[in-house]
Amino acid sequence: MSNGKSILVDVSRCTGCRGCQVACKQWNNLPATKTIQTGTYQNPPDLNGETYKIVRFAEGRGEDQKPYWNFLSDMCRHCVNPPCIAASNDGDSMIHDEATGAIIYTPKTAEDDYEMALEICPYKIPRKNEKTGALTKCTMCFDRITNGLIPACVLSCPTDAMRFGDRDEILKEVERRVTELKKTYPKAKAIDAADVRVIYILTDDPDKYGEYVQA
Ligand code: SF4
Ligand code: SF4
């Protein structure tokens, strides 16, 4: 088996433009979520059954009392050994694609245990589509990547904060980029790189980007 595919998300390059969030909606033909302004650019407030990707905006003050405002383009990590598949009660409602490593939820997940899938996911990603009852999340743009295209979110990113490619190459790039970033950001590190296919490089402590950023 090949080592599959991976996506690198380098938050040091992210401007919080939310182009990736919109591109995900467009490619997957997902309707807009009606929201209200709640004092943050994080909108809608969370992932939902029709929102597979969300740019999280985290703000606060660091130990030095200086304010921070961090952006994180959150999505399914496509775990190397996905725990969520344990919530699949008929064994084929969730597919682990051998060639790419992508984890895909099918409409059969309507019969699966949503609470268990959410509980068991370290990053709290799965959501239930209220109209169909199926569980939903990012598919790694499986229909695109198996036709020689890159995921819509990666394509849309104007700053190259996201890269897609063969996992071995992405892992090398992760290592190179962390070394480079450490010169400016001593706390720079890759998150759970050995266990997930969507690898985030952060420049600050994980808890300064959101609640379930690290397993
Ligand atoms: S991040 Fe969560 S939903 Fe995605 S593959 Fe891993 S356990 Fe499953
Ligand atoms: S498209 Fe790129 S820069 Fe814009 S929010 Fe997404 S990751 Fe950040």
Side-chain angles (χ1 to χ4, degrees):
M1 178 181 162
S2 78
N3 213 0
K5 300 292 182 184
S6 268
I7 295 175
L8 161 61
V9 186
D10 178 351
V11 304
S12 75
R13 293 178 184 268
C14 178
T15 61
C17 74
R18 298 193 301 188
C20 51
Q21 188 178 315
V22 173
C24 178
K25 284 260 182 191
Q26 284 182 329
W27 181 257
N28 291 294
N29 205 17
L30 295 165
T33 302
K34 194 169 182 185
T35 61
I36 55 167
Q37 173 57 262
T38 58
T40 166
Y41 285 109
Q42 187 172 313
N43 195 0
D46 201 0
L47 297 165
N48 59 53
E50 296 175 331
T51 303
Y52 305 164
K53 185 175 198 34
I54 190 167
V55 179
R56 298 196 182 278
F57 290 73
E59 40 188 317
R61 285 187 184 271
E63 297 79 29
D64 56 5
Q65 290 308 305
K66 287 186 183 162
Y68 64 81
W69 195 30
N70 291 332
F71 317 134
L72 186 125
S73 176
D74 198 12
M75 61 194 282
C76 170
R77 309 308 199 263
H78 295 274
C79 299
V80 173
N81 294 303
C84 60
I85 283 190
S88 161
N89 65 21
D90 67 2
D92 65 354
S93 63
M94 299 178 187
I95 295 165
H96 191 173
D97 179 60
E98 256 196 49
T100 61
I103 314 300
I104 301 134
Y105 288 3
T106 74
K108 289 185 184 175
T109 53
E111 306 299 319
D112 289 344
D113 185 339
Y114 168 54
E115 299 301 331
M116 181 178 168
L118 186 60
E119 174 63 29
I120 210 168
C121 171
Y123 310 100
K124 302 290 174 263
I125 295 295
R127 294 292 186 275
K128 197 174 187 69
N129 183 304
E130 297 304 330
K131 294 172 193 154
T132 66
L135 309 192
T136 63
K137 64 167 197 66
C138 156
T139 67
M140 205 192 272
C141 276
F142 190 67
D143 48 354
R144 292 177 61 89
I145 65 174
T146 49
N147 283 287
L149 301 173
I150 65 174
C153 59
V154 179
L155 181 67
S156 77
C157 182
T159 63
D160 266 347
M162 280 184 282
R163 306 235 181 125
F164 172 80
D166 291 338
R167 179 166 172 80
D168 293 340
E169 293 305 311
I170 292 289
L171 286 171
K172 278 186 213 156
E173 177 59 13
V174 166
E175 207 173 298
R176 188 198 70 75
R177 187 65 182 146
V178 169
T179 305
E180 189 173 69
L181 280 169
K182 271 189 181 294
K183 294 175 196 158
T184 313
Y185 306 99
K187 290 183 177 179
K189 69 169 184 171
I191 302 299
D192 303 334
D195 300 321
V196 296
R197 291 185 181 276
V198 178
I199 304 165
Y200 291 82
I201 297 178
L202 308 184
T203 54
D204 205 343
D205 298 320
D207 64 357
K208 295 205 177 75
Y209 293 85
E211 211 175 341
Y212 303 109
V213 172
Q214 185 169 248

Short mmCIF file of all heavy atoms in Angstrom, two decimals, residues 9 13-21 55 73 153 156-159 161-162, ligand 2:
data_model
loop_
_atom_site.label_atom_id
_atom_site.label_comp_id
_atom_site.label_asym_id
_atom_site.label_seq_id
_atom_site.Cartn_x
_atom_site.Cartn_y
_atom_site.Cartn_z
N VAL A 9 -1.42 22.16 6.79
CA VAL A 9 -2.04 23.47 7.05
C VAL A 9 -1.05 24.27 7.90
O VAL A 9 -0.86 23.97 9.08
CB VAL A 9 -3.39 23.35 7.79
CG1 VAL A 9 -4.06 24.72 7.89
CG2 VAL A 9 -4.32 22.36 7.09
N ARG A 13 0.80 31.11 7.73
CA ARG A 13 0.50 31.76 6.45
C ARG A 13 -0.98 32.13 6.32
O ARG A 13 -1.39 32.71 5.33
CB ARG A 13 0.83 30.81 5.30
CG ARG A 13 2.31 30.53 5.12
CD ARG A 13 2.47 29.55 3.98
NE ARG A 13 3.83 29.13 3.79
CZ ARG A 13 4.69 29.72 2.97
NH1 ARG A 13 4.32 30.76 2.27
NH2 ARG A 13 5.91 29.26 2.85
N CYS A 14 -1.80 31.71 7.28
CA CYS A 14 -3.25 31.90 7.16
C CYS A 14 -3.64 33.32 7.54
O CYS A 14 -3.25 33.82 8.59
CB CYS A 14 -3.97 30.89 8.05
SG CYS A 14 -5.77 31.08 8.03
N THR A 15 -4.44 33.95 6.69
CA THR A 15 -4.91 35.32 6.95
C THR A 15 -6.35 35.33 7.45
O THR A 15 -6.93 36.39 7.66
CB THR A 15 -4.85 36.16 5.66
OG1 THR A 15 -5.71 35.55 4.69
CG2 THR A 15 -3.43 36.24 5.11
N GLY A 16 -6.95 34.15 7.59
CA GLY A 16 -8.34 34.08 8.04
C GLY A 16 -9.34 34.57 7.00
O GLY A 16 -10.45 34.98 7.35
N CYS A 17 -8.99 34.47 5.74
CA CYS A 17 -9.87 35.00 4.68
C CYS A 17 -11.14 34.16 4.51
O CYS A 17 -12.12 34.62 3.94
CB CYS A 17 -9.12 35.09 3.36
SG CYS A 17 -8.82 33.49 2.56
N ARG A 18 -11.12 32.92 4.92
CA ARG A 18 -12.23 31.95 4.84
C ARG A 18 -12.55 31.50 3.41
O ARG A 18 -13.60 30.93 3.16
CB ARG A 18 -13.50 32.50 5.51
CG ARG A 18 -13.30 32.76 7.00
CD ARG A 18 -14.59 32.98 7.70
NE ARG A 18 -15.33 34.10 7.15
CZ ARG A 18 -16.42 34.60 7.68
NH1 ARG A 18 -16.91 34.08 8.78
NH2 ARG A 18 -17.04 35.61 7.12
N GLY A 19 -11.62 31.75 2.51
CA GLY A 19 -11.80 31.25 1.14
C GLY A 19 -11.96 29.75 1.11
O GLY A 19 -12.76 29.19 0.35
N CYS A 20 -11.22 29.05 1.97
CA CYS A 20 -11.27 27.57 2.01
C CYS A 20 -12.65 27.10 2.47
O CYS A 20 -13.18 26.11 1.96
CB CYS A 20 -10.17 27.03 2.92
SG CYS A 20 -10.11 27.79 4.55
N GLN A 21 -13.21 27.81 3.42
CA GLN A 21 -14.54 27.45 3.96
C GLN A 21 -15.60 27.59 2.86
O GLN A 21 -16.45 26.71 2.69
CB GLN A 21 -14.84 28.38 5.14
CG GLN A 21 -16.07 28.04 5.92
CD GLN A 21 -16.27 28.98 7.12
OE1 GLN A 21 -15.33 29.28 7.85
NE2 GLN A 21 -17.48 29.45 7.31
N VAL A 55 -13.27 28.04 9.57
CA VAL A 55 -12.07 28.75 10.02
C VAL A 55 -12.36 29.26 11.43
O VAL A 55 -13.26 30.08 11.63
CB VAL A 55 -11.69 29.89 9.07
CG1 VAL A 55 -10.45 30.62 9.59
CG2 VAL A 55 -11.44 29.34 7.67
N SER A 73 -7.99 26.70 10.16
CA SER A 73 -8.94 26.17 9.19
C SER A 73 -9.23 24.71 9.55
O SER A 73 -8.51 23.80 9.18
CB SER A 73 -8.29 26.28 7.80
OG SER A 73 -9.11 25.72 6.84
N CYS A 153 -10.43 23.26 -1.04
CA CYS A 153 -9.93 24.24 -0.05
C CYS A 153 -8.48 24.59 -0.34
O CYS A 153 -8.09 25.76 -0.27
CB CYS A 153 -10.09 23.69 1.37
SG CYS A 153 -9.25 22.13 1.69
N SER A 156 -8.16 26.88 -3.26
CA SER A 156 -8.67 28.24 -3.05
C SER A 156 -7.73 29.11 -2.23
O SER A 156 -7.86 30.33 -2.24
CB SER A 156 -10.03 28.19 -2.33
OG SER A 156 -9.83 27.92 -0.95
N CYS A 157 -6.81 28.51 -1.50
CA CYS A 157 -6.03 29.29 -0.52
C CYS A 157 -5.07 30.26 -1.22
O CYS A 157 -4.17 29.84 -1.94
CB CYS A 157 -5.25 28.36 0.40
SG CYS A 157 -4.32 29.26 1.64
N PRO A 158 -5.25 31.56 -1.00
CA PRO A 158 -4.43 32.54 -1.72
C PRO A 158 -3.02 32.70 -1.15
O PRO A 158 -2.18 33.36 -1.75
CB PRO A 158 -5.23 33.85 -1.57
CG PRO A 158 -5.99 33.69 -0.30
CD PRO A 158 -6.26 32.21 -0.14
N THR A 159 -2.77 32.12 0.02
CA THR A 159 -1.46 32.36 0.66
C THR A 159 -0.60 31.11 0.74
O THR A 159 0.44 31.11 1.40
CB THR A 159 -1.67 32.87 2.11
OG1 THR A 159 -2.34 31.84 2.85
CG2 THR A 159 -2.48 34.15 2.15
N ALA A 161 -1.25 28.56 2.45
CA ALA A 161 -1.26 28.03 3.82
C ALA A 161 -1.54 26.53 3.81
O ALA A 161 -1.22 25.83 4.76
CB ALA A 161 -2.30 28.75 4.66
N MET A 162 -2.17 26.05 2.73
CA MET A 162 -2.47 24.62 2.63
C MET A 162 -1.74 24.01 1.44
O MET A 162 -1.69 24.62 0.37
CB MET A 162 -3.97 24.40 2.49
CG MET A 162 -4.70 24.49 3.81
SD MET A 162 -6.43 24.10 3.62
CE MET A 162 -6.99 25.62 2.93
S1 SF4 B 2 -8.05 30.02 2.36
FE1 SF4 B 2 -5.98 29.87 3.26
S2 SF4 B 2 -5.59 31.92 4.13
FE2 SF4 B 2 -7.79 31.80 3.75
S3 SF4 B 2 -8.65 31.08 5.75
FE3 SF4 B 2 -8.31 29.23 4.47
S4 SF4 B 2 -6.23 28.53 5.10
FE4 SF4 B 2 -6.44 30.67 5.79
#
